[in-house]
Every structure is written in C-alpha cells, then in structure tokens.
Amino acid sequence: MPPAFANPVFALRADPVRIQLLPSTFDSNGHATPEQRLTCFLIDESVAVDAGSIALAVNGEQREKVRDIIVTHPHMDHIASLPIFIDDLFPTLKTPVRVHATPEVISSLERDIFNWNIYPRFSELENDFGRVMEYVPIPVGQEFEVAHLTVTAVAVNHIVPTVGLVISNGKTTVAFSSDTSETEEFWHLLNRAPSLQALLIEASFPDSMAQLAEVSRHFTPASLKRELSKLSHNELDILAVHIKPAYREIVIQELNALNIPGLGVMESGKIYEW
Ligand SMILES: [Zn+2]
Ligand SMILES: [Zn+2]
C-alpha cells in the first residue's frame, strides 16, 4: 500500500477542492445553458453555497450527499429551490438538511418563505427518522466548521444582510463574494488568508448601468476592477459569476477588456478543481 493511503487524514487533506456552479437552465437536449439565473455552488459534491438551482440541477448522487447548505442572503435567486430540495427528500432523510446562515437570514427564511403560507415550516416537521431541516447560525467574523470545510463569513455590502465567505479544506482556500458592491472587511479577510487559490466574484451589470448597480449594490466590470486593487494576493483564479443573463455578452466583453491576469468567467456545470 502506498504510504499516502496508510494515513487517511493525510489522504483527505491532500485532496483538491472541487467546485461546480450548478446550471440554472438546460436546453432541449438536456445540456446546461451558460446563462446564470440562479446561484448555487456545490463544493466536493456535499456542501452547497446558496441554493438557487439546487433542486433543479443536482444529479441523484448529489441529492443524496448534500446535507449542508450555506445561505449567504435570502434573495430569491439564491434560495429559489431550497424549499423544493427539502420537499423532494422529505420521506427519506435520515439526518436533517442543515441550513447555515446568519441569524438575520434565518429570521427572513422563517418569516418570508417557510411560514406555512409560501411553504411549510420544515424546521418544525419530522419524518419517520426525525427532523428534516435545522438551522445552524453562522458566527460572523469567526471560523466555523461545515462538514469537512473550515469557513469564515464576513458582512459584505448588499441591499440585505449578506455574507462573503472564505472556505478551506485544509489544502485549498477559495473565496466567494456573494452579491456585493464596494466593501472592505471581505478584502481584509482575503488578504489575511495565507494562500488563496480562487475567488468567485460577482459582476452583475455592464458599465453603462453603473447607477442601477450602485443602488442595487452589485458590481460592474469597472467597479470590480477598482475593488480588485484591494486584493494583495496574486496568481489566483478570479472567476466572474452572477452576470445578469440580459447583459451577459456585454459584461463578458467588458471583463475581457480589463486584461486582469487570472480573470475569467465561471462556466456553469463545469467542475473546477483547485
Ligand atoms: Zn442579492
Ligand atoms: Zn443574487
């Protein structure tokens, strides 16, 4: 037996992290379409960051494995199919789906979504095996564990309380901006991380819509460039996400014109490894 396999902890720590932006929509042949309407990232097939497309786009194996979902904020594009995901699994869940979110986001989910009106309050329901959903409050600014990952969440600058995330599997560290405009603490957190392999960052609107981007607290390529000057790491992959489908082509052109080393657009459905 090779020595690496003699120590399971070592083998686990040496694993790269695998991240997939789940597709939002599929063409008539069942292939993922590139437009991103909803936000859901799967990490190592078992932890989700946001749950926009989760119930629509996971395969059978992923549906059986994902039991931890970090919700960065309660906007519909980030939670749209969370209720359906839990509903699908309701009869068979042997352990609850854990929803990791700040207390403000948990309150909003309970008040506005799982309120017995829009959908059942799954946090109060049980199947034959026990509870089907539980909330795990996120301690903002402190490290916490989610499955095999270490996570730190800090507030970013969006229209509702929202967190950006730095996530590590012991070998690889990756950051998620979630939805934000000009912000500070997130960059301090990234700059404190000893190494950073990838940053998944939003670029919602084209430069011509800077005013709408500002009032709705999102980036354009130009404001993204200004923010990236706060990042002290280099040699990392920077993948733009959350591009509004109606402006996708122009936003991609403007991002390419920035000529920022390592900057690209994240492809939905593709599994990235770092
Ligand atoms: Zn949002
Ligand atoms: Zn969004």
Side-chain angles (χ1 to χ4, degrees), residues 254-266:
E254 290 174 352
L255 287 169
N256 287 337
L258 296 175
N259 272 321
I260 293 174
L263 176 63
V265 173
M266 192 168 197

Side-chain angles (χ1 to χ4, degrees), residues 79-97:
I79 59 153
S81 71
L82 174 62
I84 313 302
F85 181 73
I86 299 168
D87 202 351
D88 275 350
L89 288 165
F90 191 96
T92 54
L93 278 170
K94 296 203 167 63
T95 54
V97 173

Side-chain angles (χ1 to χ4, degrees), residues 39 73 75 77-78 158 179 218 242 244:
T39 295
H73 69 298
H75 278 160
D77 51 322
H78 298 254
H158 195 36
D179 293 5
H218 285 293
H242 205 273
K244 296 280 182 189

Side-chain angles (χ1 to χ4, degrees), residues 53-112:
S53 52
I54 192 165
L56 315 172
V58 282
N59 61 34
E61 207 176 310
Q62 292 164 338
R63 182 174 282 104
E64 292 313 311
K65 276 190 82 176
V66 177
R67 293 295 176 268
D68 290 281
I69 302 172
I70 303 170
V71 176
T72 63
H73 69 298
H75 278 160
M76 189 58 91
D77 51 322
H78 298 254
I79 59 153
S81 71
L82 174 62
I84 313 302
F85 181 73
I86 299 168
D87 202 351
D88 275 350
L89 288 165
F90 191 96
T92 54
L93 278 170
K94 296 203 167 63
T95 54
V97 173
R98 289 172 292 274
V99 174
H100 304 258
T102 61
E104 293 104 312
V105 172
I106 293 171
S107 301
S108 173
L109 291 172
E110 288 288 272
R111 186 188 64 225
D112 303 326

Side-chain angles (χ1 to χ4, degrees), residues 210-223:
Q211 213 173 352
L212 178 61
E214 185 51 42
V215 294
S216 61
R217 310 278 175 85
H218 285 293
F219 285 138
T220 63
S223 60

Side-chain angles (χ1 to χ4, degrees), residues 162-182:
T162 301
V163 288
L165 306 168
V166 168
I167 296 184
S168 171
N169 74 344
K171 170 179 179 280
T172 301
T173 304
V174 177
F176 298 75
S177 72
S178 189
D179 293 5
T180 187
S181 52
E182 186 182 355

Side-chain angles (χ1 to χ4, degrees), residues 101-145:
T102 61
E104 293 104 312
V105 172
I106 293 171
S107 301
S108 173
L109 291 172
E110 288 288 272
R111 186 188 64 225
D112 303 326
I113 304 293
F114 297 104
N115 57 9
W116 297 116
N117 186 30
I118 300 296
Y119 230 61
R121 180 160 285 162
F122 285 129
S123 60
E124 293 178 3
L125 295 179
E126 293 191 352
N127 66 9
D128 292 346
F129 307 101
R131 300 178 64 190
V132 294
M133 174 189 186
E134 72 184 24
Y135 292 105
V136 185
I138 286 179
V140 174
Q142 292 168 36
E143 264 188 12
F144 57 100
E145 307 288 319

